[in-house]
Amino acid sequence: MNGDDPREDPRRRRVPPTSGRPGSPAVPPPGRPMPPQGRPMPPDPRYGSRPPGGDRRPNPEDGPTVRHNPSPRRGASHVEPTQVLHRGNSGDQPLAYSQMPYEREKPRQPPPPPPRREQVGHAPTQRPVPHHDALPPRRTPPPIIGGRQPQPPRRRRKRHPFRWFTVIVVLLLAGIVAAVVHLDNSLTRITALPSYSDRVSNTPGTNWLLVGSDGRGDLSTEQEQELATGGDTGPERTDTIMMVHIPSSGPSTMVSLPRDSYVNIPGHGKDKLNASFAIGGASLLVQTVEEATGVRIDHYAQIGFGGFAGVVDALGGLEMCLDEPIVDPLAGLDLPAGCQELSGPQALGFVRTRATPNADVDRMNHQRMFMAALLKKATSMGTLANPFALWPMATGIAGSLKVDDGDHIWNLAALGWAMRGETVTTSVPIGGFDDTDVGNVLLWDKAKASGFFEALATDQQIPEELLTR
């Protein structure tokens, strides 16, 4: 076999193989006691951690025990012979198994006990955990092209045309409401509709009493000269008295009531119609008209000289067509025949003049002509759609009118709207003239006037034979 035969020398013995894993202590053969475990020798500085002599004991600080092999390194194909250990080893001779230091295996420490769970008598309090959506992945910016980083696309703002339309409509409505409130507060209110016993009961339809007074209290001296009013002439009187009936259906009717009509004035006997206004103001005038016609008055409006001319100027004048020329120095008129544009002062003189062949009859005709032209232009689309014409006209009318306590600006708007179309213009059936103790007066045709006002009181159209054109 390889190496020396152990039978040639009884002192030589084979090294028993180590049991277990590398580094474990050598196990003595059967029948041999364990080597004594003596105290390790102190290290000699000359030999490092190895003591002199053959007895070499490892130092725990030197790391694992390495067996010395003095033979030179050979190739991988070389097979080492069986190594023989000598009992009397010295120097670099290998050690017997009995001389090898005995390393005691470290006692295994038992694993730590598992942590003891504390017994909870009740379920732990659950706290709500807010849910957070996962963040979207970050977008990698595009590469820079040409040395300039491209700008991210702007987010287009969503347009809301309907929202802007709604805002505009709301602002427009708010402006209209504010304008209506302002105009309504500009009206001068008086107590015009009386409350007396045996007053005419309500009649169907809507009835207005429109009065044009010769009041000059709001005019300056220059305005009186411009309007040719003739200065102060005593108590305020009425130059124009008209009744407007707005039926439930059909065209409206505008009736002229001559100021010189000979009627009964409650509490004052018979006199001219305009005398009731001079005696008792608007309330006595309304009561006189109601008792004379049998028609209940629902609304009242009164305008003076200055307001009359101001409304015409606000509309930019009125076009009137004359059959004959009119020359009246007292009214400041010098108008040729034909169609022409009348200014405010000219229109005022046109409705006041009596310098015509039929005097008061022509005067009533002129007033109806003027009123029809005024309402037509005031309610035309050209005026209503033009705020620069509508607002001055509206403010001029509201600032110069006197109305009853219960009347408002929307009642006046309803009046103008009702008369914008076809309107029947007429006068009270006239029976003639007569001289009385109060002067020359105009008499009504009692037979025709009875049927005339009966049709208005019952909301019927006036028969054609009772109309005065």
Side-chain angles (χ1 to χ4, degrees), residues 161-231:
F162 183 74
R163 181 184 301 175
W164 286 109
F165 176 76
T166 304
V167 171
I168 293 174
V169 171
V170 170
L171 293 178
L172 183 61
L173 292 178
I176 293 175
V177 171
V180 170
V181 173
H182 172 74
L183 293 175
D184 189 63
N185 293 332
S186 301
L187 294 173
T188 302
R189 290 181 169 83
I190 59 176
T191 304
L193 301 182
S195 177
Y196 57 91
S197 59
D198 300 331
R199 186 183 179 187
V200 179
S201 61
N202 288 329
T203 54
T206 303
N207 300 303
W208 281 81
L209 187 64
L210 306 180
V211 176
S213 70
D214 62 355
R216 300 168 176 81
D218 56 346
L219 298 179
S220 62
T221 304
E222 291 77 9
Q223 289 175 330
E224 288 181 356
Q225 294 177 357
E226 181 183 4
L227 298 177
T229 60

Side-chain angles (χ1 to χ4, degrees), residues 24-104:
S24 60
V27 179
R32 175 118 9 173
M34 292 291 293
Q37 298 295 328
R39 186 175 183 182
M41 295 179 64
D44 193 339
R46 293 174 300 175
Y47 302 98
S49 61
R50 178 179 176 183
D55 190 7
R56 181 178 181 272
R57 299 184 179 180
N59 191 349
E61 300 178 359
D62 294 341
T65 305
V66 180
R67 185 173 295 174
H68 179 69
N69 188 8
S71 61
R73 182 176 297 177
R74 298 180 182 180
S77 61
H78 177 72
V79 178
E80 283 290 331
T82 303
Q83 297 182 7
V84 179
L85 299 179
H86 301 275
R87 184 177 299 276
N89 187 27
S90 64
D92 295 333
Q93 297 297 326
L95 300 176
Y97 74 93
S98 60
Q99 294 176 341
M100 292 295 294
Y102 176 76
E103 294 181 0
R104 181 177 297 177

Side-chain angles (χ1 to χ4, degrees), residues 72-415:
R73 182 176 297 177
R74 298 180 182 180
S77 61
H78 177 72
V79 178
E80 283 290 331
T82 303
Q83 297 182 7
V84 179
L85 299 179
H86 301 275
R87 184 177 299 276
N89 187 27
S90 64
D92 295 333
Q93 297 297 326
L95 300 176
Y97 74 93
S98 60
Q99 294 176 341
M100 292 295 294
Y102 176 76
E103 294 181 0
R104 181 177 297 177
E105 186 177 1
K106 295 182 180 180
R108 294 184 179 180
Q109 297 181 358
R116 183 179 180 183
R117 292 185 176 181
E118 297 182 0
Q119 297 183 356
V120 182
H122 55 85
T125 303
Q126 297 182 359
R127 295 183 178 180
V129 179
H131 173 72
H132 299 283
D133 295 336
L135 296 177
R138 298 183 61 182
R139 299 180 61 184
T140 304
I144 300 177
I145 302 175
R148 183 178 180 182
Q149 185 175 2
Q151 297 293 333
R154 293 184 178 180
R155 183 179 179 184
R156 295 186 62 182
R157 297 181 62 183
K158 188 176 180 180
R159 298 183 178 182
H160 301 278
F162 183 74
R163 181 184 301 175
W164 286 109
F165 176 76
T166 304
V167 171
I168 293 174
V169 171
V170 170
L171 293 178
L172 183 61
L173 292 178
I176 293 175
V177 171
V180 170
V181 173
H182 172 74
L183 293 175
D184 189 63
N185 293 332
S186 301
L187 294 173
T188 302
R189 290 181 169 83
I190 59 176
T191 304
L193 301 182
S195 177
Y196 57 91
S197 59
D198 300 331
R199 186 183 179 187
V200 179
S201 61
N202 288 329
T203 54
T206 303
N207 300 303
W208 281 81
L209 187 64
L210 306 180
V211 176
S213 70
D214 62 355
R216 300 168 176 81
D218 56 346
L219 298 179
S220 62
T221 304
E222 291 77 9
Q223 289 175 330
E224 288 181 356
Q225 294 177 357
E226 181 183 4
L227 298 177
T229 60
D232 189 6
T233 57
E236 186 176 7
R237 296 172 299 180
T238 58
D239 282 346
T240 305
I241 305 173
M242 287 188 294
M243 177 189 296
V244 178
H245 175 73
I246 303 174
S248 302
S249 62
S252 301
T253 303
M254 183 168 56
V255 181
S256 293
L257 301 178
R259 68 171 189 173
D260 292 338
S261 298
Y262 195 60
V263 294
N264 179 56
I265 299 177
H268 299 277
K270 283 186 160 297
D271 204 335
K272 294 181 179 181
L273 181 59
N274 66 343
S276 61
F277 185 83
I279 297 172
S283 60
L284 184 58
L285 174 63
V286 171
Q287 182 177 354
T288 302
V289 171
E290 288 182 345
E291 291 185 356
T293 62
V295 178
R296 186 184 180 102
I297 302 300
D298 302 308
H299 301 281
Y300 177 88
Q302 173 185 328
I303 189 169
F305 280 167
F308 191 94
V311 171
V312 176
D313 289 335
L315 290 174
L318 288 178
E319 183 178 4
M320 302 298 297
C321 295
L322 307 180
D323 296 333
E324 297 178 356
I326 299 177
V327 178
D328 186 0
L330 296 178
L333 285 182
D334 188 2
L335 303 177
C339 297
Q340 52 199 298
E341 193 86 7
L342 300 184
S343 63
Q346 289 175 334
L348 178 61
F350 176 73
V351 299
R352 293 180 58 229
T353 184
R354 287 185 289 181
T356 56
N358 295 323
D360 283 340
V361 175
D362 290 338
R363 181 177 184 176
M364 290 185 296
N365 292 333
H366 294 167
Q367 291 173 355
R368 292 194 302 271
M369 290 172 55
F370 169 80
M371 186 62 64
L374 177 66
L375 292 175
K376 181 179 180 180
K377 188 169 185 178
T379 57
S380 65
M381 292 305 299
T383 301
L384 297 178
N386 184 6
F388 298 100
L390 178 61
W391 184 249
M393 180 199 69
T395 54
I397 293 176
S400 58
L401 282 181
K402 293 180 181 180
V403 296
D404 182 65
D405 294 333
D407 293 332
H408 297 279
I409 192 68
W410 45 87
N411 299 126
L412 293 170
L415 171 64

